[in-house]
Amino acid sequence: MSDPLVWLPFDPALLGDPPGGLRYEVVDPTAHVPGSVEDVRFYVTPYAVGPGVADVLPRMSRLEVVQTLSAGVDNVRGRVPDGVTLCNGRGIHDTSTAELTLTLILASLRGIPQFVRAQDRGSWEFAWRPALADKRVLLVGYGAIGAAIEARLRPFEAEVVPVARRARDGVHAIDELPDLLPDADVVVLVLPLTDATRGLVDATFLGRMKHGALLVNVARGAVVVTDDLVAALHAGRITAAVDVTEEEPLPARHPLWDAPGLLVSPHVGGASSAMWPRAHRLVRDQLHRYAGREPLANVMSGDY
């Protein structure tokens, strides 16, 4: 009997110490699906999880594990066959996404986009801007990335209010949001996309936010109702910074491009030099667990 086959999106040499007793192939199923697809036991998806990444799953008749390189699994979870273990990339993007979140908050509050535009015009435009210090920041979603964001926020002398699906010590439940939103200066979305969170940030949610508050979305675009966000921005009620949008890439003439008070980054939360070393470590450790028949990390529960 041949060794179990592992599909990787990168050279196995990058793992440093890949376990023996496994076969490795470097495959991008969105570009080419080799005949070995029926033999795959352990599938590490490419970082960019497009439709083609999940399209191959029904053809993997011997599949045992799907390991994503993203924290969110919304693009694959409905396609994973029964009996196959799904693991996410928890821990890979904590550092990168937390850094970008702080960047978006600080850039938005201190008016960096306006300063850059003034620089392009050769115009010196002095302005007073709000600081992050003394602000109340509502973290909607408090997993590993949320905790990493909190750790970076606290040295800026901001008050951090964590919110998760369920209440626990020091963390509010998500059903408390209506009472928490009016007092928040910054609202950061870092929760997974599920049936319960899709469209969570709608006109009602935005209407409860403090006038002039900043909304930051580093979660998934579909957590926010885009038309409602555009309306709130044009009304001047809030400002926003988004790394994710419902439609990606964002089309050239999309209303978000012209919305006032909005900073857009092109889904680069995990796209930094910090990502790949952490991805390689996680995959290496998971493969050692798999080869040693030990429990895997980051196993997603049935409700994700």
Side-chain angles (χ1 to χ4, degrees), residues 81-164:
D82 291 341
V84 174
T85 300
L86 173 62
C87 304
N88 77 344
R90 178 185 172 96
I92 293 176
H93 303 290
D94 301 0
T95 296
S96 293
T97 303
E99 284 187 0
L100 181 69
T101 302
L102 265 292
T103 300
L104 293 175
I105 293 173
L106 291 168
S108 298
L109 292 176
R110 298 303 298 265
I112 301 303
Q114 291 88 338
F115 294 152
V116 171
R117 293 183 182 111
Q119 179 180 351
D120 290 341
R121 297 190 298 269
S123 177
W124 182 277
E125 299 180 9
F126 177 87
W128 286 85
R129 297 288 305 188
L132 176 54
D134 308 323
K135 296 293 188 292
R136 177 174 290 177
V137 182
L138 201 62
L139 274 180
V140 186
Y142 195 63
I145 294 176
I149 294 171
E150 179 187 25
R152 288 157 177 79
L153 280 169
R154 292 202 178 278
F156 283 85
E157 302 175 48
E159 177 188 359
V160 181
V161 181
V163 179

Side-chain angles (χ1 to χ4, degrees), residues 21 35 40 45 48 62 72 77 88 91-92 95 119 145 156 163-164 201 205 217 225-226 237 244 259 283:
V40 177
T45 66
R62 305 183 71 187
R77 63 184 175 193
N88 77 344
I92 293 176
T95 296
Q119 179 180 351
I145 294 176
F156 283 85
V163 179
V201 182
F205 183 109
N217 189 6
V225 179
T226 302
R237 286 205 66 264
V244 289
V283 172

Side-chain angles (χ1 to χ4, degrees), residues 273-295:
S273 59
M275 180 238 170
W276 283 113
R278 287 157 178 80
H280 297 152
R281 286 199 295 268
L282 174 64
V283 172
R284 179 194 63 211
D285 293 346
Q286 290 285 70
L287 288 171
H288 275 286
R289 291 186 182 99
Y290 174 73
R293 298 185 179 182
E294 300 172 3

Side-chain angles (χ1 to χ4, degrees), residues 183-197:
D183 295 324
D185 301 292
V186 181
V187 178
V188 179
L189 307 174
V190 65
L191 68 177
L193 178 63
T194 66
D195 290 341
T197 63

Side-chain angles (χ1 to χ4, degrees), residues 42-61:
F42 196 113
Y43 174 34
V44 181
T45 66
Y47 172 54
V49 187
V53 168
D55 287 346
V56 298
L57 291 175
R59 300 172 60 183
M60 295 177 167
S61 57

Side-chain angles (χ1 to χ4, degrees), residues 74 96-105 108 137-141 145 149 186-194 197-202 205-206 209 213-227 229 233 238-248 250 256 261-270:
D74 46 283
S96 293
T97 303
E99 284 187 0
L100 181 69
T101 302
L102 265 292
T103 300
L104 293 175
I105 293 173
S108 298
V137 182
L138 201 62
L139 274 180
V140 186
I145 294 176
I149 294 171
V186 181
V187 178
V188 179
L189 307 174
V190 65
L191 68 177
L193 178 63
T194 66
T197 63
R198 185 179 297 275
L200 172 72
V201 182
D202 57 8
F205 183 109
L206 297 168
M209 288 177 61
L214 170 66
L215 177 74
V216 179
N217 189 6
V218 292
R220 287 291 186 265
V223 170
V224 178
V225 179
T226 302
D227 290 346
L229 174 59
L233 291 168
I238 64 166
T239 58
V242 299
D243 184 50
V244 289
T245 56
E246 282 190 274
E247 188 177 0
E248 295 182 5
L250 198 61
L256 282 173
L262 177 65
L263 173 59
V264 178
S265 58
H267 204 152
V268 292

